[in-house]
Amino acid sequence: RTSLSQYLDFLTQTAYLAGRLTLGYFQTGVATEWKSDRSPVSIADRQAEQFIRQRIESAYPGHAILGEEFGGEALIPSGGDPDTASHRWIIDPIDGTKSFIRGVPLYAVLIGLEIDGQVQAGAAYFPALDEMLAAASGLGCWWNGRRAALSSVSRLSEAWVTCTSAQGFEKRGRMAAFQRLIRRCYYLTGWGDAYGYLLAATGRVEAAIDPSMHVWDCAPFPPIFSELGGYFGDWKANPTIYGGEALAVNRSLLSELLTVLN
């Protein structure tokens, strides 16, 4: 059996290499296409995902893969080993494509490994910043090779909170929650996408919140925040990547934040 530490090493290295690939296109005026949901995609997104897929398929040919740009491909052969069939890699080759295409350095490569329905290892690499955040269950959470730590702030009135955009709250009919947050927290800002969760995981803000979240946009975060003693999940206290929304925070602020959001 492959150990979790081996998986963590593999996905950390894979996220790093894919991130270096994206830098070849960063701030070059790369051509952008627009998907049906009006979100942007570039050749860098597609090439990075293909690179990640090739590495996974080569190293773990029985595993399933779900990626933002190329969908889900169950690669398990018929009569395959159920041990490998229970493993699924979830990929976002460029989280924050809007930042990427504008030359803003806050984008990330995200890779999570789900085993028996639970994400057990994940990495978020920010190529333009050269920051790596990675964790696996029982192995701790690491930020550029050192142990990460959450903020210890325990009152929302003292908390810095980040979200991807106010528009996200508007689109999801959550502006009342947004207004309550503005009134209750110390500072609400828009350091968006995965970068907000990096800031929360490293104690530079207290919480990251989004009213809309796809699984590939957050796959690494359950083990990252769990290993830090914090919370990542939906707005109803369910630790999941499948809630369609996201909240990451330390435990001492969780109940107050959930009350405000709901």
Side-chain angles (χ1 to χ4, degrees):
R1 289 176 69 97
T2 306
S3 70
L4 263 185
S5 67
Q6 287 171 294
Y7 283 132
L8 181 61
D9 287 346
F10 173 81
L11 62 80
T12 302
Q13 184 182 31
T14 302
Y16 176 81
L17 293 171
R20 304 319 282 179
L21 187 158
T22 68
L23 281 178
Y25 295 97
F26 184 56
Q27 295 181 337
T28 64
V30 64
T32 304
E33 298 168 31
W34 297 89
K35 296 189 277 192
S36 58
D37 64 356
R38 295 187 67 213
S39 65
V41 64
S42 73
I43 187 172
D45 297 77
R46 295 194 175 111
Q47 285 197 356
E49 182 165 325
Q50 285 169 335
F51 172 82
I52 295 166
R53 283 176 178 271
Q54 285 162 2
R55 275 183 61 91
I56 295 167
E57 288 163 11
S58 174
Y60 305 109
H63 290 192
I65 301 174
L66 172 66
E68 178 173 13
E69 304 310 335
F70 295 100
E73 291 177 16
L75 302 169
I76 302 137
S78 56
D81 180 353
D83 178 45
T84 60
S86 64
H87 290 57
R88 181 165 77 148
W89 299 81
I90 304 174
I91 305 162
D92 191 346
I94 296 181
D95 181 74
T97 303
K98 291 185 182 78
S99 293
F100 177 82
I101 64 172
R102 285 296 182 117
V104 177
L106 307 184
Y107 74 95
V109 178
L110 304 181
I111 306 175
L113 175 60
E114 194 176 58
I115 303 173
D116 296 322
Q118 297 288 323
V119 183
Q120 299 285 347
Y125 178 57
F126 298 79
L129 303 171
D130 199 22
E131 291 194 45
M132 176 73 74
L133 184 66
S137 299
L139 298 175
C141 176
W142 302 86
W143 174 33
N144 298 338
R146 298 178 181 175
R147 284 199 179 264
L150 299 174
S151 160
S152 59
V153 168
S154 59
R155 287 200 291 270
L156 193 54
S157 60
E158 298 172 9
W160 293 46
V161 178
T162 181
C163 66
T164 297
S165 77
Q167 283 172 311
F169 286 81
E170 173 88 338
K171 285 177 185 169
R172 293 298 292 265
R174 293 285 187 62
M175 280 308 281
F178 188 73
Q179 296 287 352
R180 287 194 297 272
L181 261 180
I182 289 171
R183 289 193 293 269
R184 293 285 296 276
C185 71
Y186 171 72
Y187 185 55
L188 179 62
T189 187
W191 289 314
D193 303 304
Y195 186 64
Y197 297 85
L198 168 70
L199 295 179
T202 53
R204 291 179 279 178
V205 302
E206 277 65 55
I209 296 171
D210 280 299
S212 179
M213 182 65 73
H214 296 293
V215 293
W216 47 75
D217 293 327
C218 64
F221 300 138
I224 285 170
F225 284 91
S226 174
E227 287 299 297
L228 293 169
Y231 170 82
F232 178 86
D234 67 16
W235 294 10
K236 298 170 188 66
N238 303 305
T240 179
I241 61 172
Y242 296 105
E245 61 197 15
L247 168 62
V249 67
N250 66 37
R251 289 278 168 185
S252 55
L253 275 170
L254 178 59
S255 63
E256 192 181 358
L257 253 179
L258 289 173
T259 301
V260 169
L261 290 174
N262 293 302

